[in-house]
Amino acid sequence: MAILNVLTFPDDRLRTQAKPVSQVDDSIRTLVADMFETMQAEKGVGLAATQINVHKQVIVMDVSDDQDTPLVFINPKIDAQSGTKINEEGCLSVPNNYAKVERAETVTVTALDAQGEQFTVTAEGLLAVCIQHEMDHLQGKLFVDYLSPLKRQRIMKKLEKEARLAAKA
Ligand code: K1U
Ligand code: ZN
């Protein structure tokens, strides 16, 4: 297993559209294992393959309190959604920045698991937020895209400055 580098906004590679997985094989299961290790190392509750510069429709997630309920979504599709809710969001690709984003309150998603078996889940709460946030990543979209241009620009300048300082150190 390996901890992989997480791309940081405004890296253009985060804007890449992920392609569907044609076969869930051992290479995908290795990717999934590496993504879980990376997500846990970075103290996140979700991770999309886009964030580690792999442009395949693969998401890992664990929103449980004890981090003992891993979920894998391959080629996810939203079948239904209802309601709206505003939640505070964070992102490993936008470190230390949080903002309120409006999303559907409940979503029903169909995807493949790590064995290639199809499943459908209806989610609400943090799971619903996280599914929508990670599915946005697969489309090259970030939560900052829901903010005003001014707020997005401020976050971008701050992260660019932090990256410059880190490169000098
Ligand atoms: O970078 C990511 O896509 C992971 C992201 C998932 C997410 C969590 C909550 C709302 C939206 C998206 C994170 O893991 S952010 C950091 C985090 O651990 C967290 C943030 C808010 C609530 C719970 C956990
Ligand atoms: Zn994110």
Side-chain angles (χ1 to χ4, degrees):
M1 293 215 290
I3 296 172
L4 305 166
N5 179 53
V6 176
L7 301 176
T8 303
F9 174 70
D11 193 313
D12 275 348
R13 292 171 290 180
L14 286 166
R15 300 311 188 172
T16 312
Q17 286 252 353
K19 293 199 166 61
V21 172
S22 53
Q23 205 184 345
V24 181
D25 56 15
D26 283 349
S27 73
I28 295 295
R29 283 184 278 277
T30 299
L31 170 66
V32 163
D34 289 347
M35 286 175 64
F36 272 119
E37 200 178 0
T38 304
M39 181 189 87
Q40 283 152 7
E42 300 290 339
K43 309 224 178 311
V45 295
L47 189 73
T50 311
Q51 294 176 274
I52 51 154
N53 201 27
V54 174
H55 302 290
K56 294 178 181 171
Q57 292 180 9
V58 179
I59 290 168
V60 299
M61 215 176 283
D62 191 341
V63 298
S64 65
D65 287 342
D66 297 329
Q67 286 273 295
D68 59 358
T69 313
L71 295 170
V72 178
F73 297 82
I74 298 169
N75 300 344
K77 299 244 165 4
I78 294 195
D79 303 323
Q81 61 181 59
S82 62
T84 56
K85 199 158 181 234
I86 296 172
N87 302 278
E88 184 98 329
E89 295 198 16
C91 181
L92 301 178
S93 295
V94 191
N96 305 314
N97 287 276
Y98 300 87
K100 289 186 171 31
V101 177
E102 183 177 297
R103 297 200 187 262
E105 188 168 22
T106 307
V107 289
T108 300
V109 181
T110 296
L112 302 178
D113 65 17
Q115 304 311 315
E117 298 290 334
Q118 187 173 296
F119 68 98
T120 299
V121 63
T122 295
E124 55 183 20
L126 181 57
L127 181 58
V129 175
C130 203
I131 288 171
Q132 293 172 80
H133 176 110
E134 302 307 337
M135 286 184 71
D136 271 358
H137 275 302
L138 299 182
Q139 306 277 336
K141 193 164 182 177
L142 296 164
F143 84 88
V144 294
D145 300 342
Y146 295 97
L147 309 180
S148 69
L150 181 66
K151 281 187 185 162
R152 191 165 52 250
Q153 192 80 356
R154 272 197 199 135
I155 292 172
M156 190 175 90
K157 295 282 170 224
K158 195 170 122 195
L159 290 177
E160 282 176 337
K161 187 174 173 189
E162 283 169 12
R164 273 199 308 276
L165 291 173
K168 270 192 198 163

